[in-house]
Amino acid sequence: MGDLTGTVAVVTGGASGIGAGLVEALLEAGASVVIADVEQAVLDETVATLGERFGHERLTGIVTDVSRAESTESCARQVYERHGRCNYLFNNAGVGGGGVAKPWNWTPNDWKWCFGVNLFGAANCVGAFVPRMLDGGEEGWVVNTSSSNGGYQPMADLAIYAASKAGLTTYTECLANAFAETGAKLHAAVFYPGGKGLLETRLWNSGRNRPPELAREHPHVDPQWDYQQVKSRVLANGGQIADLVEQGRSLLHGLDEGRFIIAADTASVGELMRRRADRIGSGKLPTVEEKGVFS
Ligand SMILES: NC(=O)c1ccc[n+]([C@@H]2O[C@H](COP(=O)([O-])OP(=O)(O)OC[C@H]3O[C@@H](n4cnc5c(N)ncnc54)[C@H](O)[C@@H]3O)[C@@H](O)[C@H]2O)c1
């Protein structure tokens, strides 16, 4: 990974999980980092722990709810007041939808919350940061974290999450094209975490950050994501737990290589998409059988 000394990166949802792994990889590479996260206690802990290792002057936290435009605007204002620039905007904050359900059982509050964070959250950050990044005239990147679930192929019982990530993937493609068409020095990329190993994060428990006014309305949404059961099955099948800092390093490596799609194995994704395209070409449901990490 190249030397990022002198650059400033903002990581939404960087207090835990994949985002925290990315923050560590950025600090290793020399960047100054701002974590924008809604969960104050975990944010403070991550900033304290990583600040101790890499230098408190290089890492700050701003409590931000990405689903609220006034909150992302305030975050961008604070970042520019402190650093005068943002070179990397990582829209990583995401929620799992709060359980599993048949597609017809999700209700308005589920949609508002999941889309509010996963899709509108990224759009709010783009709206707050990109005009400032363009004005600054420096080279920069906007990286949106999607998911194989929705980005490549949807999982039926997680339709709400899949739809939000499909939207985010398309939005990122539009963003990249708009940057190129306008001659901006900005680039957009879409990141698909994953590869070898189960991602041991708190996505399974996203409901911890769900606003009370958007509480679940339908009893058929099963909130019981039994992560331990999935983990036992993965380990029993010879699987492993992924290294989250390594995920962050490979994301930065992908940016170094100028990739738009950053995923562990784009070749096999391409093969999956060709099989889906063949089915679309003959008017069939595109979904192909895949053995995923949850099986
Ligand atoms: N874990 C997986 O298997 C997996 C797979 C593919 C993609 N992803 C994506 O990776 C990203 C990171 O998720 P994770 O697995 O590390 O989960 P996580 O729950 O450990 O981390 C998500 C972070 O987002 C923050 N967050 C939630 N709502 C927010 C809001 N409104 N405003 C600001 N921050 C908010 C949380 O506080 C948390 O720190 C998400 O976009 C997720 O969809 C995860």
Coordinates of all heavy atoms in Angstrom, one line a residue, residues 11-21 35-40 42-43 46 62-68 71-72 91-96 113 116-118 121 125 144-149 161 164-165 168 191-194 197-211 225 227 244 247 293-294, ligand 1:
V11 N -14.1 7.9 7.7 CA -14.7 6.5 7.6 C -16.0 6.5 8.4 O -16.0 6.7 9.6 CB -13.7 5.5 8.2 CG1 -14.4 4.1 8.1 CG2 -12.4 5.5 7.5
T12 N -17.1 6.4 7.7 CA -18.4 6.3 8.4 C -18.5 4.9 9.0 O -18.1 3.9 8.4 CB -19.6 6.7 7.5 OG1 -19.8 5.7 6.6 CG2 -19.4 8.0 6.8
G13 N -19.1 4.8 10.1 CA -19.3 3.5 10.8 C -17.9 2.9 11.1 O -17.8 1.6 11.2
G14 N -16.9 3.7 11.3 CA -15.6 3.2 11.6 C -15.3 2.8 13.0 O -14.2 2.4 13.4
A15 N -16.3 2.9 13.9 CA -16.1 2.6 15.3 C -15.9 1.1 15.5 O -15.3 0.7 16.4 CB -17.2 3.1 16.1
S16 N -16.6 0.3 14.7 CA -16.5 -1.2 14.9 C -16.4 -1.9 13.6 O -16.5 -1.4 12.5 CB -17.6 -1.7 15.7 OG -18.9 -1.3 15.2
G17 N -16.1 -3.2 13.7 CA -16.2 -4.1 12.5 C -15.3 -3.8 11.4 O -14.1 -3.4 11.6
I18 N -15.8 -3.9 10.2 CA -15.0 -3.7 9.0 C -14.4 -2.3 8.9 O -13.3 -2.0 8.5 CB -15.8 -4.0 7.7 CG1 -16.2 -5.5 7.7 CG2 -15.1 -3.6 6.4 CD1 -17.4 -5.9 6.8
G19 N -15.2 -1.3 9.4 CA -14.8 0.1 9.4 C -13.6 0.3 10.3 O -12.7 1.0 9.9
A20 N -13.6 -0.3 11.4 CA -12.5 -0.2 12.4 C -11.3 -0.8 11.8 O -10.1 -0.3 12.0 CB -12.9 -0.8 13.7
G21 N -11.4 -1.9 11.1 CA -10.3 -2.6 10.4 C -9.7 -1.6 9.4 O -8.5 -1.5 9.2
I35 N -13.3 9.3 12.3 CA -14.4 8.3 12.3 C -15.7 9.0 12.5 O -15.8 9.8 13.5 CB -14.2 7.3 13.4 CG1 -12.8 6.5 13.2 CG2 -15.3 6.2 13.4 CD1 -12.5 5.5 14.4
A36 N -16.7 8.8 11.7 CA -18.0 9.4 11.8 C -18.9 8.2 12.1 O -19.2 7.4 11.3 CB -18.4 10.1 10.5
D37 N -19.4 8.1 13.4 CA -20.2 7.0 13.8 C -21.2 7.4 14.8 O -21.1 8.3 15.5 CB -19.3 5.9 14.4 CG -19.9 4.5 14.4 OD1 -20.9 4.3 15.1 OD2 -19.4 3.6 13.7
V38 N -22.3 6.7 14.8 CA -23.5 7.1 15.6 C -23.4 6.5 17.0 O -24.1 7.0 17.9 CB -24.8 6.6 14.9 CG1 -25.0 5.1 15.1 CG2 -26.0 7.4 15.4
E39 N -22.5 5.5 17.3 CA -22.5 4.9 18.6 C -21.4 5.4 19.4 O -20.2 5.0 19.4 CB -22.2 3.4 18.3 CG -22.8 2.5 19.4 CD -22.7 1.0 19.1 OE1 -22.2 0.6 18.0 OE2 -23.1 0.2 20.0
Q40 N -21.7 6.4 20.2 CA -20.7 7.2 20.9 C -19.8 6.4 21.8 O -18.5 6.6 21.7 CB -21.5 8.2 21.9 CG -20.6 9.0 22.9 CD -20.3 10.4 22.5 OE1 -21.3 11.2 22.3 NE2 -19.1 10.8 22.4
V42 N -18.7 3.3 21.7 CA -17.8 2.4 20.9 C -16.8 3.3 20.2 O -15.7 3.0 20.0 CB -18.6 1.5 20.0 CG1 -17.6 0.5 19.3 CG2 -19.6 0.7 20.8
L43 N -17.4 4.5 19.7 CA -16.5 5.4 18.9 C -15.4 5.9 19.9 O -14.2 5.9 19.5 CB -17.4 6.6 18.5 CG -16.7 7.8 17.8 CD1 -16.0 7.4 16.5 CD2 -17.7 8.9 17.5
T46 N -12.8 3.2 20.4 CA -11.9 2.9 19.2 C -10.9 4.0 19.0 O -9.8 3.8 18.8 CB -12.8 2.7 18.0 OG1 -13.7 1.7 18.2 CG2 -12.0 2.4 16.8
I62 N -16.2 11.8 15.3 CA -17.3 12.8 15.3 C -18.6 12.0 15.4 O -18.8 11.2 14.5 CB -17.3 13.7 14.1 CG1 -16.0 14.5 14.0 CG2 -18.5 14.6 14.1 CD1 -15.8 15.4 12.7
V63 N -19.4 12.2 16.4 CA -20.7 11.5 16.5 C -21.5 12.0 15.3 O -21.8 13.2 15.2 CB -21.4 11.7 17.8 CG1 -22.7 11.0 17.8 CG2 -20.5 11.1 19.0
T64 N -21.9 11.0 14.5 CA -22.6 11.4 13.2 C -23.7 10.3 13.0 O -23.4 9.1 13.0 CB -21.7 11.4 12.0 OG1 -20.6 12.2 12.4 CG2 -22.4 11.9 10.8
D65 N -24.9 10.8 12.6 CA -25.9 9.8 12.2 C -26.0 10.1 10.7 O -26.6 11.1 10.2 CB -27.2 10.1 12.9 CG -28.3 9.2 12.4 OD1 -28.1 8.5 11.4 OD2 -29.4 9.2 13.0
V66 N -25.5 9.1 9.9 CA -25.4 9.4 8.4 C -26.8 9.4 7.8 O -27.0 9.9 6.7 CB -24.6 8.3 7.7 CG1 -23.1 8.3 8.1 CG2 -25.2 6.9 7.9
S67 N -27.8 8.9 8.5 CA -29.2 9.0 7.9 C -29.8 10.4 8.0 O -30.8 10.6 7.4 CB -30.1 7.9 8.6 OG -30.4 8.3 9.9
R68 N -29.1 11.3 8.7 CA -29.6 12.6 8.8 C -28.7 13.6 8.1 O -27.5 13.8 8.5 CB -29.8 13.0 10.3 CG -30.9 12.2 11.0 CD -31.0 12.4 12.5 NE -30.9 13.8 12.8 CZ -30.0 14.3 13.6 NH1 -29.1 13.5 14.2 NH2 -30.0 15.6 13.9
S71 N -26.7 16.1 10.1 CA -25.6 15.5 10.9 C -24.4 15.3 10.0 O -23.3 15.6 10.4 CB -26.1 14.2 11.5 OG -25.1 13.6 12.2
T72 N -24.6 14.8 8.7 CA -23.4 14.7 7.8 C -22.9 16.0 7.4 O -21.7 16.2 7.3 CB -23.8 13.8 6.6 OG1 -24.9 14.5 5.9 CG2 -24.2 12.4 7.0
N91 N -17.8 5.5 2.7 CA -19.2 5.3 3.2 C -19.3 3.8 3.6 O -19.7 3.0 2.7 CB -20.2 5.7 2.1 CG -20.2 7.2 2.0 OD1 -20.3 7.9 3.0 ND2 -20.1 7.7 0.8
N92 N -19.0 3.5 4.8 CA -19.0 2.1 5.3 C -20.1 1.8 6.2 O -20.5 0.7 6.4 CB -17.6 1.9 6.0 CG -17.7 0.7 6.9 OD1 -17.5 -0.4 6.5 ND2 -17.9 1.0 8.2
A93 N -20.7 2.9 6.8 CA -21.8 2.6 7.8 C -22.9 1.9 7.2 O -23.3 2.2 6.1 CB -22.3 4.0 8.4
G94 N -23.4 0.8 7.9 CA -24.5 0.1 7.3 C -25.2 -0.7 8.4 O -24.6 -1.0 9.5
V95 N -26.4 -1.1 8.1 CA -27.2 -1.9 9.1 C -27.8 -3.1 8.3 O -28.0 -3.0 7.1 CB -28.3 -1.1 9.8 CG1 -27.7 0.0 10.7 CG2 -29.3 -0.5 8.8
G96 N -28.0 -4.1 9.1 CA -28.4 -5.4 8.4 C -29.9 -5.5 8.2 O -30.4 -6.5 7.6
W113 N -35.4 2.8 8.0 CA -34.2 2.7 8.7 C -33.1 2.1 7.8 O -32.0 2.7 7.7 CB -34.4 1.8 9.9 CG -33.2 1.5 10.7 CD1 -32.3 2.4 11.2 CD2 -32.7 0.2 11.1 NE1 -31.2 1.8 11.9 CE2 -31.5 0.5 11.8 CE3 -33.2 -1.1 11.0 CZ2 -30.7 -0.6 12.4 CZ3 -32.4 -2.1 11.6 CH2 -31.2 -1.9 12.2
G116 N -32.3 4.4 5.0 CA -31.9 5.6 5.6 C -30.4 5.6 5.9 O -29.6 6.5 5.7
V117 N -29.9 4.4 6.4 CA -28.5 4.3 6.7 C -27.7 3.8 5.4 O -26.7 4.5 5.0 CB -28.2 3.3 7.9 CG1 -26.7 3.2 8.2 CG2 -29.0 3.7 9.1
N118 N -28.1 2.7 4.8 CA -27.3 2.1 3.8 C -27.2 2.9 2.5 O -26.2 2.9 1.8 CB -27.8 0.7 3.5 CG -27.7 -0.3 4.7 OD1 -27.2 0.1 5.7 ND2 -28.0 -1.5 4.5
G121 N -27.7 7.3 3.6 CA -26.6 7.7 4.4 C -25.4 8.0 3.6 O -24.7 9.0 3.8
C125 N -23.7 11.8 2.8 CA -22.2 12.1 3.0 C -21.7 12.6 1.6 O -20.9 13.5 1.6 CB -21.5 10.8 3.4 SG -21.8 10.4 5.1
N144 N -17.8 3.4 -1.6 CA -19.1 3.0 -1.0 C -19.0 1.5 -0.7 O -18.7 0.7 -1.6 CB -20.3 3.3 -1.8 CG -20.4 4.8 -2.0 OD1 -20.0 5.6 -1.1 ND2 -21.1 5.3 -3.0
T145 N -19.3 1.1 0.5 CA -19.3 -0.4 0.8 C -20.6 -1.0 0.5 O -21.7 -0.7 1.1 CB -19.0 -0.6 2.3 OG1 -17.7 0.0 2.6 CG2 -19.0 -2.0 2.7
S146 N -20.6 -1.9 -0.5 CA -21.8 -2.6 -0.8 C -21.7 -4.0 -0.2 O -21.2 -4.2 0.9 CB -21.9 -2.7 -2.4 OG -23.1 -3.4 -2.8
S147 N -22.4 -5.0 -0.8 CA -22.4 -6.3 -0.3 C -22.6 -7.3 -1.5 O -23.4 -6.9 -2.4 CB -23.4 -6.5 0.7 OG -23.6 -7.9 1.1
S148 N -22.1 -8.5 -1.4 CA -22.4 -9.5 -2.5 C -23.9 -9.7 -2.5 O -24.6 -9.9 -3.5 CB -21.7 -10.8 -2.2 OG -22.0 -11.2 -0.9
N149 N -24.6 -9.5 -1.3 CA -26.0 -9.7 -1.2 C -26.6 -8.3 -1.7 O -26.8 -7.4 -0.9 CB -26.4 -9.9 0.3 CG -27.9 -10.0 0.5 OD1 -28.6 -10.3 -0.5 ND2 -28.4 -9.8 1.7
Y161 N -32.2 -5.5 2.8 CA -30.7 -5.2 2.8 C -30.2 -5.3 1.4 O -29.5 -4.4 0.9 CB -30.0 -6.2 3.7 CG -28.5 -6.0 3.8 CD1 -27.9 -5.1 4.6 CD2 -27.7 -6.8 3.0 CE1 -26.5 -5.0 4.7 CE2 -26.3 -6.7 3.1 CZ -25.7 -5.8 4.0 OH -24.3 -5.7 4.0
S164 N -31.1 -2.3 -0.7 CA -30.4 -1.1 -0.4 C -29.0 -1.2 -1.0 O -28.4 -0.2 -1.5 CB -30.3 -0.9 1.2 OG -29.4 -1.8 1.8
K165 N -28.4 -2.4 -0.9 CA -27.0 -2.5 -1.5 C -27.0 -2.5 -3.0 O -26.0 -2.0 -3.6 CB -26.3 -3.7 -0.9 CG -26.1 -3.7 0.6 CD -25.1 -2.6 1.0 CE -24.7 -2.6 2.5 NZ -23.8 -1.6 2.9
L168 N -27.1 1.1 -3.8 CA -25.8 1.8 -3.5 C -24.8 1.5 -4.6 O -24.0 2.4 -5.0 CB -25.3 1.3 -2.1 CG -24.0 2.0 -1.6 CD1 -24.2 3.5 -1.5 CD2 -23.5 1.3 -0.3
F191 N -16.9 -1.2 -2.8 CA -16.1 -2.2 -2.0 C -17.1 -3.3 -1.6 O -18.1 -3.1 -1.0 CB -15.4 -1.6 -0.8 CG -14.7 -2.5 0.1 CD1 -13.8 -3.5 -0.4 CD2 -15.0 -2.5 1.5 CE1 -13.2 -4.4 0.5 CE2 -14.3 -3.3 2.4 CZ -13.4 -4.3 1.9
Y192 N -16.6 -4.6 -1.9 CA -17.4 -5.7 -1.4 C -16.5 -6.5 -0.4 O -15.6 -7.2 -0.8 CB -17.7 -6.7 -2.6 CG -18.6 -6.1 -3.6 CD1 -18.1 -5.4 -4.7 CD2 -19.9 -6.2 -3.5 CE1 -18.9 -4.8 -5.6 CE2 -20.8 -5.6 -4.4 CZ -20.3 -4.9 -5.5 OH -21.1 -4.4 -6.4
P193 N -16.8 -6.3 0.9 CA -16.0 -7.1 1.9 C -16.2 -8.6 1.7 O -17.2 -9.0 1.1 CB -16.7 -6.6 3.2 CG -17.4 -5.4 3.0 CD -17.9 -5.5 1.5
G194 N -15.3 -9.3 2.2 CA -15.5 -10.8 2.1 C -14.3 -11.5 1.6 O -13.2 -11.0 1.7
G197 N -13.2 -16.5 4.7 CA -13.5 -16.3 6.2 C -14.8 -15.5 6.4 O -15.2 -14.6 5.7
L198 N -15.4 -15.8 7.6 CA -16.6 -15.2 8.1 C -16.2 -13.8 8.6 O -15.2 -13.7 9.4 CB -17.2 -16.0 9.2 CG -18.5 -15.6 9.8 CD1 -19.6 -15.6 8.8 CD2 -18.9 -16.5 11.0
L199 N -16.9 -12.8 8.3 CA -16.7 -11.4 8.8 C -17.3 -11.3 10.2 O -18.5 -11.2 10.3 CB -17.2 -10.4 7.8 CG -16.6 -10.4 6.4 CD1 -17.4 -9.8 5.4 CD2 -15.2 -9.7 6.5
E200 N -16.5 -11.4 11.2 CA -17.0 -11.3 12.5 C -17.2 -9.9 13.0 O -16.2 -9.3 13.5 CB -16.1 -12.1 13.5 CG -16.7 -12.2 14.9 CD -16.1 -13.4 15.6 OE1 -14.9 -13.5 15.8 OE2 -16.9 -14.2 16.0
T201 N -18.3 -9.3 12.7 CA -18.6 -7.9 13.0 C -19.9 -7.9 13.8 O -20.5 -8.9 14.1 CB -18.8 -7.1 11.7 OG1 -20.1 -7.4 11.1 CG2 -17.7 -7.3 10.8
R202 N -20.4 -6.7 14.1 CA -21.7 -6.6 14.8 C -22.9 -6.3 13.9 O -23.9 -5.8 14.4 CB -21.5 -5.5 15.9 CG -20.4 -6.0 16.9 CD -20.5 -5.3 18.2 NE -20.4 -3.9 18.1 CZ -20.9 -3.0 18.8 NH1 -21.7 -3.4 19.8 NH2 -20.7 -1.7 18.7
L203 N -22.7 -6.6 12.6 CA -23.8 -6.3 11.7 C -25.0 -7.2 12.1 O -26.2 -6.8 11.9 CB -23.4 -6.7 10.3 CG -24.3 -6.2 9.1 CD1 -24.2 -4.7 9.0 CD2 -24.0 -6.9 7.8
W204 N -24.7 -8.3 12.7 CA -25.8 -9.2 13.2 C -26.6 -8.6 14.2 O -27.7 -9.0 14.5 CB -25.1 -10.5 13.7 CG -24.2 -11.2 12.7 CD1 -23.0 -10.9 12.4 CD2 -24.6 -12.3 11.9 NE1 -22.5 -11.7 11.4 CE2 -23.5 -12.6 11.1 CE3 -25.7 -13.1 11.7 CZ2 -23.5 -13.6 10.2 CZ3 -25.7 -14.1 10.8 CH2 -24.6 -14.3 10.0
N205 N -26.1 -7.6 14.9 CA -26.8 -6.9 16.0 C -27.0 -5.5 15.7 O -26.9 -4.6 16.5 CB -25.9 -7.1 17.2 CG -26.5 -6.5 18.5 OD1 -27.7 -6.4 18.6 ND2 -25.6 -6.2 19.4
S206 N -27.3 -5.2 14.4 CA -27.5 -3.8 14.0 C -28.5 -3.0 14.7 O -28.5 -1.8 14.9 CB -27.8 -3.7 12.5 OG -26.8 -4.2 11.7
G207 N -29.5 -3.8 15.2 CA -30.7 -3.2 15.9 C -30.3 -2.3 17.1 O -31.0 -1.5 17.6
R208 N -29.0 -2.5 17.6 CA -28.6 -1.7 18.7 C -28.6 -0.2 18.4 O -28.7 0.6 19.3 CB -27.1 -2.1 19.1 CG -26.0 -1.8 18.1 CD -24.7 -2.4 18.4 NE -23.7 -2.0 17.5 CZ -23.4 -2.4 16.3 NH1 -24.2 -3.3 15.8 NH2 -22.4 -1.9 15.5
N209 N -28.5 0.1 17.1 CA -28.4 1.6 16.7 C -29.7 2.0 16.1 O -29.8 3.1 15.5 CB -27.3 1.8 15.8 CG -25.9 1.7 16.4 OD1 -25.8 2.2 17.5 ND2 -25.0 1.1 15.8
R210 N -30.8 1.2 16.2 CA -32.0 1.5 15.5 C -32.8 2.6 16.3 O -33.0 2.4 17.5 CB -32.9 0.3 15.4 CG -34.1 0.5 14.6 CD -34.8 -0.8 14.2 NE -36.0 -0.6 13.4 CZ -36.5 -1.5 12.6 NH1 -35.9 -2.6 12.4 NH2 -37.6 -1.2 11.9
P211 N -33.2 3.7 15.7 CA -33.9 4.8 16.4 C -35.3 4.3 16.8 O -35.9 3.6 16.1 CB -34.1 5.9 15.3 CG -33.2 5.5 14.2 CD -33.0 4.1 14.2
W225 N -31.0 -13.3 14.7 CA -29.9 -13.6 13.8 C -28.9 -14.5 14.7 O -28.2 -13.9 15.5 CB -29.1 -12.4 13.4 CG -29.7 -11.6 12.3 CD1 -30.8 -10.9 12.4 CD2 -29.1 -11.4 11.0 NE1 -31.0 -10.2 11.2 CE2 -30.0 -10.6 10.3 CE3 -28.0 -11.9 10.4 CZ2 -29.7 -10.2 9.0 CZ3 -27.7 -11.5 9.1 CH2 -28.6 -10.6 8.4
Y227 N -26.0 -15.6 15.2 CA -24.6 -15.5 14.7 C -23.8 -16.7 15.1 O -23.0 -17.3 14.4 CB -23.9 -14.2 15.1 CG -22.5 -14.2 14.7 CD1 -22.1 -14.1 13.4 CD2 -21.5 -14.4 15.7 CE1 -20.8 -14.1 13.0 CE2 -20.1 -14.4 15.3 CZ -19.8 -14.3 14.0 OH -18.5 -14.3 13.6
L244 N -10.0 -8.4 9.8 CA -10.7 -7.2 9.4 C -9.7 -6.1 9.0 O -10.0 -5.3 8.1 CB -11.7 -6.7 10.4 CG -12.8 -7.7 10.8 CD1 -13.7 -7.1 11.8 CD2 -13.6 -8.1 9.5
Q247 N -8.8 -6.9 5.5 CA -9.8 -6.4 4.6 C -9.6 -4.9 4.2 O -9.7 -4.5 3.1 CB -11.2 -6.5 5.3 CG -11.7 -7.9 5.5 CD -12.3 -8.5 4.3 OE1 -13.1 -7.9 3.6 NE2 -12.0 -9.8 4.1
V293 N -21.3 -18.0 2.3 CA -20.6 -18.1 3.6 C -21.5 -18.6 4.6 O -21.1 -19.2 5.7 CB -19.9 -16.8 3.9 CG1 -20.9 -15.7 4.4 CG2 -18.9 -17.0 5.0
F294 N -22.8 -18.4 4.4 CA -23.8 -18.7 5.5 C -24.2 -20.2 5.4 O -24.9 -20.7 6.2 CB -25.1 -17.9 5.4 CG -24.7 -16.4 5.6 CD1 -25.1 -15.5 4.6 CD2 -24.1 -16.0 6.7 CE1 -24.8 -14.1 4.8 CE2 -23.7 -14.6 6.9 CZ -24.1 -13.7 5.9
Ligands
LIG1 N1 -20.4 -8.2 8.0 C1 -20.6 -8.7 6.8 O1 -20.7 -9.9 6.6 C2 -20.7 -7.7 5.6 C3 -20.7 -8.2 4.3 C4 -20.8 -7.4 3.3 C5 -20.9 -6.0 3.5 N2 -20.9 -5.5 4.8 C6 -21.1 -4.1 5.0 O2 -19.9 -3.6 5.7 C7 -20.2 -2.4 6.4 C8 -19.7 -2.4 7.8 O3 -20.5 -3.4 8.5 P1 -20.0 -4.3 9.7 O4 -20.2 -5.7 9.2 O5 -18.6 -3.9 10.1 O6 -21.0 -4.1 10.9 P2 -20.8 -3.3 12.3 O7 -22.2 -3.3 12.9 O8 -19.8 -4.0 13.1 O9 -20.3 -1.9 11.9 C9 -21.2 -0.9 11.3 C10 -20.9 0.4 11.9 O10 -21.8 1.4 11.4 C11 -22.3 2.2 12.5 N3 -23.6 2.8 12.2 C12 -24.8 2.2 12.2 N4 -25.8 3.1 11.9 C13 -25.2 4.3 11.7 C14 -25.6 5.6 11.4 N5 -27.0 5.8 11.3 N6 -24.7 6.6 11.3 C15 -23.4 6.3 11.4 N7 -22.9 5.1 11.7 C16 -23.8 4.1 11.9 C17 -22.3 1.3 13.7 O11 -22.3 2.0 14.9 C18 -21.0 0.5 13.5 O12 -19.9 1.1 14.0 C19 -21.8 -2.2 6.2 O13 -22.0 -1.3 5.2 C20 -22.2 -3.6 5.8 O14 -23.4 -3.6 5.1 C21 -20.8 -6.4 5.8

